[in-house]
Amino acid sequence: QAACEKGLISESTYKAMVAAYRGTSSADLNGSGGVAQGNGSVASGEKGVSVGGDVHGGISIVINERAASVDKFVYAEEIRSYCEKAVSLHETLPLMGFKTRLRVPLRIEDIYVPLRAMMDLRPTGKAWFSDSEDADQCLREHDAGREISIPQAFHETERIGRRGIVILGDPGSGKTTHLKRLLLWCLRGGPREAGLPAGMIPVFLPLRDLRDVSRGLSAFIQEQLDNPHLDTPQGFGKHLLKQGNLLFLLDGLDEVADPGHRKQVSRWIDDAVKLYPDCRFAVTCRFAGYTDDARLSEQFLEMHIRPMSGKEAGRFIYNWYKIVETGLSGDVKRALSIAKERTRKLIERLKRPDFRSRSVFWMTRNPLLLTNLCLVHRDRGRLPDKRARLYEECTEVLLELWREAAGFKSRVTADVGRRILQPAALWMHQEEERTRASADELAPVIEPAIKAAGWEHGSARKFLNIVRDESGILTGWSQDYFGFMHLGFQEYLAAREIQNQALKKPEILMELAEQFGKSWWREATLLLLALENPALFEPFMRQVVKQPAFAQHPDLVDMCLEDSVEVSAAPFIELLEKDPGKNRELWERQFAALRILERIDESVMEKAVDGLKHHPFEKIQQWLRDRSAEAGQKVIYADPGGYELVFIKGGTFMMGSPESEKERTKAEGPQHQVSVPDFYMGRYPVTNEEYARFMETNSGIPEPKFWADRQFNQPRQPVVGVNWDGARKYAAWAGLRLPSEAEWEYACRSGTTTRFSWGDEADCSRANYGAGSVFTECKGKNPGRTTPVGDYPPNDWGLYDMHGNVWEWMEDDWHGDYSGAPTDGRAWLEASRGAARVIRGGAWNRPAGSCRAAYRNGFDPEDRYDLLGFRCVLAPPGQESSFFT
């Protein structure tokens, strides 16, 4: 009755409660406040409420002994109401920050794609990482990570006896969405599906709303439950804590502004684990905010969200289009057909090299940025052809919707926003690894731009707050620190600012050229060269060719050629025309210029070659000899795909190694004579660029495992992460096949009998090997990853990368030695084909001994490692029927 009079429960709830305990119906109860007629009385005391007297047959009920049951009954309706409203509040994703015509709710349960995370299983070590790539590298180096699906996280905590999880990730990686999915699992699908105890009630707690850390978790819970949208009664939060069995969803630990306060919040989360033993905890945080001071206790399993795989991204795109098209059409069948077709077209576009081979690729692996791409694609009907143009459209999408989506006039247009943010992006980028700055630091940088743009809505701080609060491009790392939600936007806007300044301050191109080869500036440089009006390739490259890094980073030069809106041969011709003198560093740069000129302007090559006949550099002389030899070779190009193959004249050779060979293994014997017919062999291993063409025309082909890894996904690098069956499918598509083991060794040796095709001694300058984390023979000399094909000298038959770079799949099944091996060059196959497959050639992170011409090994045909690629062969007409045995 007291609860009813105070408005904590409704009158109908009170009547139902009393009726339940008196064995009657609420309709039999009369009187104000639900007090029954008769000589009964109602009294309240310290230990509870008692109802006494001769009412309805003289039944006397004392509720003191059942106070907990009454309490639970009183709040049952309130809990039910809270759960319904929590579902309504959190079941959809907002489209804030996106400029779009769409007015379709995106339900989390419909669009949700279970992401993967790497569990941090280190017993000790730092907590802070700059991003997911940094975290992944650390765990792999320490062999202390195991990947699981995030929905399995609480199943794992139950197994290892922990009470909570910390979900760490990049901005926009899906941390908050996963917390809300956990809430919906508890309230709709059942907690057990997520590995949680039955009946668990979730409480969503956005830590960005925390105002007073001194009051503790209980006060913050009550404050959040006082949300007008939840309409909970006074004391409801306290009751929930008393009842227990709660799932606390603490979102955005990094958004607690002050580092000292963040540390304090972490400590009272740790305390709450002890105070509420039947509760569970899930905390999200950006990598940058999870410092050692703020690290949670050992009761929490730390998990690092991985970027979406190609399959996950494809599923996300289809879910998105399905929601949108069915939401906008009354014809569900037609809507689903449209969703499938638009999904297909977008995925095909995302497989093109400009998306795969640059940091813009990461936009396709981040849920927030992928949503951005879906919106651009649907609104335009396609994505822009140039990635610089894509960045321009995405910044427009992120900058102009906020207020307009809610029916208000935008206070910052995309054009004005870019003009003001560009100087801030360049200023931040000038310090390596800086991705955030305080408002006090940024204010003097952007104030001149604010004045020049004529923005009249307030101070620099107000501009930063508006863009942070109302758009998707600028993120608040705390209440006073700002950064771009994705490094790609910082790089793009920095590139635009360099272009803007280059006309008035040409020396800025020289300053950028001095950073050539540094990974921090790589993407900003490539985006600069992709910008039009004016195109800056020629003036920039004139500065680059003066730098030693020009010769040291041929892969980056290749990227510049590929991405530039305009390409000119002039800087390279000018460099080749310089007197070489005795400057070896200049010789290296001239050699690099020569190889580039060969790619971009064959018409001037002959003149350049004539001028180099007496050049003192041996590498240039060898290049001239190799070029002359290759000009006399028979070469064919596969159709489709354009893969280049060189004619190899057949012959007889001794396969395997003699017992006297250094580092010989048992699998290399017995050495035996083999006769190999004529065939064509790929000049290089198949590259990412070539494999991308294969995927473009075959939509069902899965992406290679390391397609998203910036260390391995540049166009001219050999494709890695393809299993044996994937390699065979590419070969069949190109009208080719995998080589037999005998063909490969015959071609590798190119008429020699030594350990390597160049001799018996290992040589870091002739092959990419021994620069991994374990084998370090060539550390500091070779880059510690795959290199673009052709970076090292060819063998005598014009074949590149036969030693090192990547292992190559063979057609043959693995056998432990050569006993019973065919002697006619055919592949050696088992009838069941269940064995491992042969690999040859060694790899970038393996020792010299495994790169020898005779060395052989076997991998499971399903293996997809970052050191495993392939090349193809073709036999002349009439020979294929005798190839298999």
Side-chain angles (χ1 to χ4, degrees):
Q1 182 187 32
C4 183
E5 290 172 352
K6 290 179 179 180
L8 299 180
I9 60 172
S10 66
E11 183 174 323
S12 61
T13 297
Y14 174 59
K15 287 183 177 181
M17 180 194 75
V18 177
Y21 275 89
R22 291 189 177 181
T24 184
S25 69
S26 57
D28 293 329
L29 296 171
N30 301 304
S32 175
V35 180
Q37 290 182 344
N39 62 352
S41 62
V42 178
S44 68
E46 292 182 359
K47 295 184 179 180
V49 179
S50 65
V51 181
D54 186 12
V55 180
H56 290 283
I59 299 174
S60 179
I61 303 174
V62 179
I63 306 180
N64 302 56
E65 296 176 1
R66 287 187 269 177
S69 297
V70 173
D71 191 46
K72 183 175 181 180
F73 189 94
V74 167
Y75 279 95
E77 181 182 332
E78 312 303 339
I79 290 174
R80 180 191 57 77
S81 175
Y82 159 76
C83 291
E84 288 179 354
K85 290 169 183 174
V87 167
S88 178
L89 193 61
H90 297 296
E91 68 179 341
T92 61
L93 290 174
L95 284 176
M96 288 297 290
F98 296 111
K99 181 179 181 180
T100 178
R101 298 185 295 273
L102 291 178
R103 295 294 181 268
V104 177
L106 299 179
R107 296 177 69 249
I108 287 176
E109 288 171 307
D110 293 335
I111 201 169
Y112 180 76
V113 173
L115 299 179
R116 296 161 295 113
M118 188 76 78
M119 295 188 297
D120 189 344
L121 302 176
R122 296 171 300 154
T124 59
K126 67 175 184 176
W128 183 88
F129 298 102
S130 59
D131 56 24
S132 58
E133 188 175 8
D134 182 25
D136 182 60
Q137 183 177 347
C138 178
L139 295 191
R140 291 186 189 281
E141 285 178 356
H142 290 85
D143 194 23
R146 183 162 66 85
E147 194 174 277
I148 64 167
S149 175
I150 291 182
Q152 297 299 310
F154 277 107
H155 291 281
E156 187 68 20
T157 61
E158 291 300 307
R159 186 183 71 80
I160 61 178
R162 301 196 193 184
R163 299 268 305 288
I165 60 174
V166 183
I167 302 174
L168 303 168
D170 296 321
S173 59
K175 302 181 296 297
T176 300
T177 300
H178 182 69
L179 286 197
K180 293 187 176 185
R181 188 64 185 90
L182 279 172
L183 179 144
L184 295 173
W185 262 318
C186 287
L187 299 180
R188 278 183 169 165
R192 291 192 183 280
E193 186 176 349
L196 295 163
M200 182 157 272
I201 297 174
V203 182
F204 190 82
L205 302 169
L207 291 172
R208 72 177 69 87
D209 294 341
L210 184 62
R211 297 290 179 265
D212 185 356
V213 300
S214 65
R215 297 172 60 202
L217 180 63
S218 300
F220 183 51
I221 291 172
Q222 184 59 61
E223 180 183 305
Q224 289 302 305
L225 293 175
D226 283 341
N227 184 324
H229 297 292
L230 293 174
D231 191 28
T232 54
Q234 184 180 357
F236 183 70
K238 184 177 181 181
H239 167 76
L240 284 185
L241 287 171
K242 180 180 178 182
Q243 175 178 294
N245 200 30
L246 305 177
L247 172 62
F248 295 111
L249 303 168
L250 296 129
D251 187 38
L253 180 60
D254 55 288
E255 296 188 59
V256 178
D258 181 84
H261 289 170
R262 194 180 313 140
K263 177 182 177 181
Q264 191 173 349
V265 170
S266 295
R267 297 294 74 80
W268 56 247
I269 293 175
D270 285 338
D271 291 341
V273 172
K274 301 171 186 175
L275 290 171
Y276 307 112
D278 61 345
C279 295
R280 299 292 183 271
F281 298 78
V283 182
T284 68
C285 188
R286 294 172 185 170
F287 283 110
Y290 199 61
T291 60
D292 288 315
D293 284 346
R295 193 174 198 172
L296 293 165
S297 74
E298 68 281 355
Q299 284 292 329
F300 286 84
L301 174 63
E302 295 173 354
M303 306 174 63
H304 306 163
I305 292 185
R306 303 294 301 131
M308 285 195 291
S309 67
K311 186 175 181 180
E312 290 162 348
R315 182 177 167 190
F316 181 95
I317 292 169
Y318 176 68
N319 288 350
W320 189 91
Y321 261 119
K322 183 171 68 172
I323 294 168
V324 169
E325 300 305 331
T326 55
L328 295 176
S329 173
D331 186 339
V332 175
K333 185 176 180 180
R334 174 172 169 75
L336 291 175
S337 176
I338 292 172
K340 287 181 181 178
E341 178 62 15
R342 288 182 168 166
T343 297
R344 182 188 66 79
K345 288 183 176 179
L346 179 53
I347 290 174
E348 286 181 358
R349 176 65 182 89
L350 296 180
K351 285 183 177 180
R352 286 177 52 173
D354 52 344
F355 275 87
R356 177 194 50 74
S357 60
R358 301 291 182 267
S359 71
V360 72
F361 174 87
W362 290 82
M363 296 175 72
T364 71
R365 296 301 186 257
N366 177 293
L368 178 63
L369 296 175
L370 187 53
T371 299
N372 194 339
L373 295 179
C374 290
L375 286 162
V376 172
H377 184 256
R378 192 185 187 282
D379 279 356
R380 285 177 53 108
R382 61 183 179 84
L383 292 182
D385 292 333
K386 298 292 184 180
R387 63 198 181 88
R389 177 63 180 159
L390 176 68
Y391 270 122
E392 181 179 349
E393 294 218 4
C394 286
T395 55
E396 184 175 356
V397 164
L398 291 169
L399 279 166
E400 271 196 4
L401 169 71
W402 355 285
R403 305 292 287 173
E404 293 176 8
F408 297 97
K409 185 176 180 180
S410 176
R411 289 178 283 179
V412 181
T413 65
D415 181 60
V416 168
R418 275 193 294 260
R419 288 168 61 190
I420 296 172
L421 290 172
Q422 282 172 199
L426 179 57
W427 179 82
M428 284 199 290
H429 213 70
Q430 285 170 334
E431 180 180 318
E432 191 163 335
E433 302 299 331
R434 180 167 57 191
T435 56
R436 72 196 73 175
S438 70
D440 289 340
E441 291 172 316
L442 290 172
V445 178
I446 65 173
E447 279 168 354
I450 287 175
K451 185 177 179 180
W455 193 73
E456 299 177 345
H457 297 282
S459 65
R461 182 181 287 271
K462 185 172 183 181
F463 172 85
L464 293 169
N465 287 336
I466 288 173
V467 177
R468 177 195 65 196
D469 296 340
E470 299 178 344
S471 88
I473 195 169
L474 201 63
T475 299
W477 293 94
S478 69
Q479 292 298 314
D480 197 52
Y481 272 77
F482 301 84
F484 294 93
M485 68 89 59
H486 186 262
L487 179 60
F489 292 116
Q490 178 174 310
E491 292 164 332
Y492 167 69
L493 292 169
R496 282 184 60 114
E497 182 62 14
I498 293 171
Q499 183 195 41
N500 185 50
Q501 292 187 24
L503 295 176
K504 301 175 183 176
K505 183 186 172 186
E507 60 269 23
I508 197 170
L509 295 180
M510 181 185 69
E511 294 169 3
L512 179 62
E514 290 172 351
Q515 307 300 319
F516 196 79
K518 294 182 179 178
S519 60
W520 178 246
W521 282 97
R522 174 170 293 199
E523 185 65 11
T525 298
L526 296 172
L527 286 167
L528 172 69
L529 297 177
L531 296 173
E532 303 177 59
N533 301 321
L536 295 174
F537 179 87
E538 190 169 308
F540 177 64
M541 274 297 162
R542 279 200 173 94
Q543 300 300 326
V544 169
V545 298
K546 300 175 184 177
Q547 309 299 321
F550 168 65
Q552 296 163 4
H553 297 279
D555 56 335
L556 180 54
V557 179
D558 285 345
M559 292 180 209
C560 291
L561 297 175
E562 183 182 345
D563 283 10
S564 295
V565 68
E566 293 179 7
V567 173
S568 168
F572 312 111
I573 294 172
E574 292 164 8
L575 180 61
L576 286 170
E577 288 174 346
K578 286 183 176 294
D579 182 356
K582 297 182 179 180
N583 186 345
R584 292 189 65 87
E585 188 273 323
L586 172 60
W587 299 352
E588 292 281 3
R589 288 189 282 121
Q590 289 179 320
F591 178 50
L594 179 62
R595 297 179 65 188
I596 292 165
L597 198 59
E598 181 184 29
R599 286 188 58 191
I600 66 175
D601 198 339
E602 281 284 349
S603 65
V604 301
M605 276 302 300
E606 292 308 319
K607 183 180 178 181
V609 167
D610 287 341
L612 294 170
K613 287 180 179 178
H614 303 292
H615 198 285
F617 196 29
E618 173 56 26
K619 283 186 180 179
I620 290 179
Q621 293 303 315
Q622 183 61 52
W623 181 89
L624 293 173
R625 291 192 293 270
D626 291 340
R627 186 171 185 269
S628 177
E630 288 175 11
Q633 285 183 307
K634 288 174 63 177
V635 175
I636 60 172
Y637 296 89
D639 184 19
Y643 182 68
E644 181 182 6
L645 299 102
V646 177
F647 179 72
I648 306 296
K649 180 65 179 173
T652 300
F653 79 112
M654 293 302 293
M655 186 170 180
S657 61
E659 293 185 5
S660 60
E661 182 163 309
K662 181 181 176 183
E663 297 182 288
R664 181 185 192 266
T665 69
K666 181 182 177 182
E668 297 166 27
Q671 193 176 29
H672 57 294
Q673 182 172 289
V674 176
S675 296
V676 178
D678 298 347
F679 65 103
Y680 287 88
M681 173 166 268
R683 191 181 294 280
Y684 312 103
V686 174
T687 64
N688 289 314
E689 188 174 39
E690 289 159 341
Y691 202 82
R693 296 189 195 115
F694 169 53
M695 292 199 301
E696 284 175 15
T697 56
N698 296 273
S699 58
I701 298 298
E703 287 184 354
K705 185 174 181 180
F706 298 91
W707 208 238
D709 193 323
R710 283 176 278 191
Q711 292 190 87
F712 304 107
N713 67 7
Q714 304 309 316
R716 295 281 296 164
Q717 285 178 297
V719 65
V720 294
V722 176
N723 65 16
W724 180 80
D725 187 57
R728 289 186 97 214
K729 285 179 177 176
Y730 172 90
W733 169 77
L736 310 172
R737 60 170 171 79
L738 296 181
S740 71
E741 190 176 8
E743 288 171 329
W744 188 94
E745 185 173 331
Y746 176 73
C748 176
R749 290 189 178 279
S750 56
T752 67
T753 59
T754 49
R755 295 172 73 223
F756 307 95
S757 60
W758 62 78
D760 281 322
E761 297 303 318
D763 186 346
C764 296
S765 71
R766 300 192 66 91
N768 180 20
Y769 67 89
S773 59
V774 178
F775 302 103
T776 57
E777 299 163 78
C778 296
K779 199 157 191 174
K781 300 176 183 177
N782 290 341
R785 63 177 185 277
T786 58
T787 48
V789 296
D791 267 13
Y792 293 84
N795 68 11
D796 289 345
W797 289 352
L799 302 175
Y800 292 81
D801 297 315
M802 296 297 285
H803 300 284
N805 217 5
V806 289
W807 289 110
E808 298 176 16
W809 284 117
M810 301 293 107
E811 181 66 35
D812 305 60
D813 293 324
W814 169 253
H815 298 82
D817 61 30
Y818 286 132
S819 300
T823 60
D824 56 3
R826 291 178 291 173
W828 190 9
L829 312 180
E830 296 295 333
S832 65
R833 300 239 64 179
R837 304 294 187 263
V838 174
I839 57 169
R840 286 298 204 117
W844 60 273
N845 61 353
R846 309 309 293 171
S850 65
C851 299
R852 293 177 296 112
Y855 186 85
R856 55 195 298 268
N857 207 336
F859 277 10
D860 188 287
E862 292 303 314
D863 286 341
R864 303 202 303 162
Y865 297 130
D866 60 8
L867 44 66
L868 190 55
F870 65 99
R871 78 174 75 212
C872 301
V873 299
L874 176 68
Q879 288 186 191
E880 287 302 317
S881 61
S882 63
F883 175 69
F884 297 100
T885 185

